Amino acid sequence: MRRSHRQEAPDRLYVITSGRSAGADESLDAVTLIVAESEPAPGMQSEHAEILRMCGAGPMAVVEISAHLHLPVAVVRILLTDLLDSGRVTARHPRPAPSPAKPLASPDVLEKVLVALHNL
């Protein structure tokens, strides 16, 4: 059984990120989907290889990767930035929900659809 990151020594997290505490891609939020673009290679850092294995089965959210690895999201974002920079993963950002300022369709299109439905 793996220990929670709260039970881990801080130096382990420091080693995992090669001493970095910043520099993660700011566009990676908790719901960004990560897709593996390659298989793990021999000699890779074990956390990088595990991310590629998990995301090879299908897109996985940053927060899910964090939960499976038992690592803080901030640490996972740094690891994912390494993989993004090397082209081993791609990120799919969620689309914003339609709002009154940016509706899904224009009022003209909606009116044409309504008229067409009435004509049926």
Side-chain angles (χ1 to χ4, degrees):
M1 181 170 183
R2 297 183 78 167
R3 294 183 301 170
S4 164
H5 73 278
R6 296 179 196 272
Q7 298 168 329
E8 298 280 343
D11 58 341
R12 180 177 179 270
L13 299 177
Y14 183 82
V15 170
I16 289 173
T17 62
S18 301
R20 294 168 291 160
S21 62
D25 187 334
E26 295 298 323
S27 67
L28 291 174
D29 60 15
V31 295
T32 300
L33 294 176
I34 304 298
V35 180
E37 299 295 338
S38 67
E39 297 290 323
M44 288 182 76
Q45 183 176 340
S46 62
E47 290 81 9
H48 286 148
E50 186 61 26
I51 290 170
L52 291 176
R53 276 191 284 276
M54 285 190 294
C55 297
M60 187 171 264
V62 172
V63 70
E64 290 178 280
I65 295 168
S66 173
H68 285 287
L69 291 177
H70 302 278
L71 292 172
V73 171
V75 171
V76 170
R77 288 179 58 220
I78 291 172
L79 296 172
L80 289 172
T81 300
D82 295 341
L83 293 171
L84 282 168
D85 291 344
S86 65
R88 294 185 178 273
V89 297
T90 54
R92 296 181 185 168
H93 301 284
R95 296 173 66 187
S99 67
K102 290 186 176 183
L104 195 58
S106 71
D108 293 338
V109 171
L110 293 176
E111 185 176 335
K112 288 178 183 176
V113 170
L114 185 62
V115 169
L117 288 173
H118 280 288
N119 291 337
L120 290 178

